[in-house]
């Protein structure tokens, strides 16, 4: 994933290799606030604030579901997706069936369930790191509050 592109513009060229993202299907712009669960297909970029869970539709119907949280982006709730790239704040558990990439300004308060994890220096996680979540339906799980704290920097 190309962190310098993601944090500086909205072109949608946020990932490289097998995680390549050609276009952003849905954008929650800076200054925009959503209250309630957000269910999406394809790719989602959040530069505003979502107060609720962010859930991808079942991956089998639309392929991989990507979430990008920009520097000004904030999610107050859980996230269910195939892949995420985060440079903002997430206050909730991540349930990711593929790759999690945390950029230098990423702050996660919650547990991270993942297949692949990459952290840049400066990224912080207050919660558990739970590798290889297995094969679960990303649109049908409930988020539980993080009860354990582990700080990585």
């Amino acid at each position: 994933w190309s962190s310098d592109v993601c944090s500086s513009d909205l072109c949608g060229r946020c990932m490289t290799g097998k995680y390549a993202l050609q276009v952003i299907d849905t954008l929650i712009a800076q200054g925009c606030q959503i209250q309630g669960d957000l269910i999406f297909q394809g790719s989602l970029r959040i530069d505003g604030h979502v107060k609720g869970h962010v859930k991808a539709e079942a991956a089998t119907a639309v392929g991989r579901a990507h979430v990008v949280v920009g520097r000004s982006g904030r999610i107050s709730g859980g996230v269910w997706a195939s892949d995420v790239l985060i440079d903002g704040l997430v206050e909730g558990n991540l349930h990711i069936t593929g790759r999690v990439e945390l950029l230098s300004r990423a702050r996660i308060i919650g547990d991270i369930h993942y297949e692949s994890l990459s952290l840049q220096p400066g990224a912080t996680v207050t919660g558990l790191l739970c590798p290889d979540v297995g094969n679960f339906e990303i649109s049908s799980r409930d988020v539980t509050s993080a009860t354990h704290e582990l700080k990585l920097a």
Side-chain angles (χ1 to χ4, degrees):
W1 293 353
S2 176
S3 59
D4 55 353
V5 173
C6 261
S7 60
S8 64
D9 64 39
L10 299 175
C11 71
R13 292 179 286 131
C14 299
M15 301 169 219
T16 60
K18 73 176 186 175
Y19 301 102
L21 185 60
Q22 299 301 316
V23 66
I24 296 292
D25 296 313
T26 305
L27 170 66
I28 308 303
Q30 187 173 358
C32 183
Q33 180 174 306
I34 294 185
Q35 294 189 26
D37 292 350
L38 174 61
I39 299 172
F40 73 98
Q41 293 181 351
S43 60
L44 167 69
R45 180 172 174 120
I46 299 172
D47 289 316
H49 186 179
V50 176
K51 292 181 176 182
H53 303 312
V54 174
K55 298 179 180 182
E57 288 283 349
T60 57
V62 295
R64 297 188 71 81
H66 304 277
V67 176
V68 176
V69 180
R71 287 184 183 166
S72 62
R74 180 177 179 180
I75 299 173
S76 300
V79 178
W80 287 262
S82 301
D83 306 296
V84 295
L85 178 106
I86 300 173
D87 204 20
L89 171 64
V90 176
E91 298 170 300
N93 295 336
L94 301 177
H95 300 271
I96 310 303
T97 57
R99 182 180 172 99
V100 174
E101 184 167 345
L102 304 180
L103 303 183
S104 62
R105 292 190 174 112
R107 290 182 300 147
I108 310 299
I109 301 169
D111 299 343
I112 303 176
H113 303 267
Y114 63 93
E115 179 180 292
S116 171
L117 176 67
S118 171
L119 293 101
Q120 287 186 355
T124 61
V125 176
T126 304
L128 296 175
L129 300 178
C130 307
D132 194 17
V133 296
N135 191 12
F136 61 85
E137 280 291 324
I138 60 177
S139 63
S140 64
R141 307 262 330 234
D142 291 329
V143 172
T144 57
S145 298
T147 57
H148 306 285
E149 290 192 9
L150 170 67
K151 189 129 185 165
L152 302 176

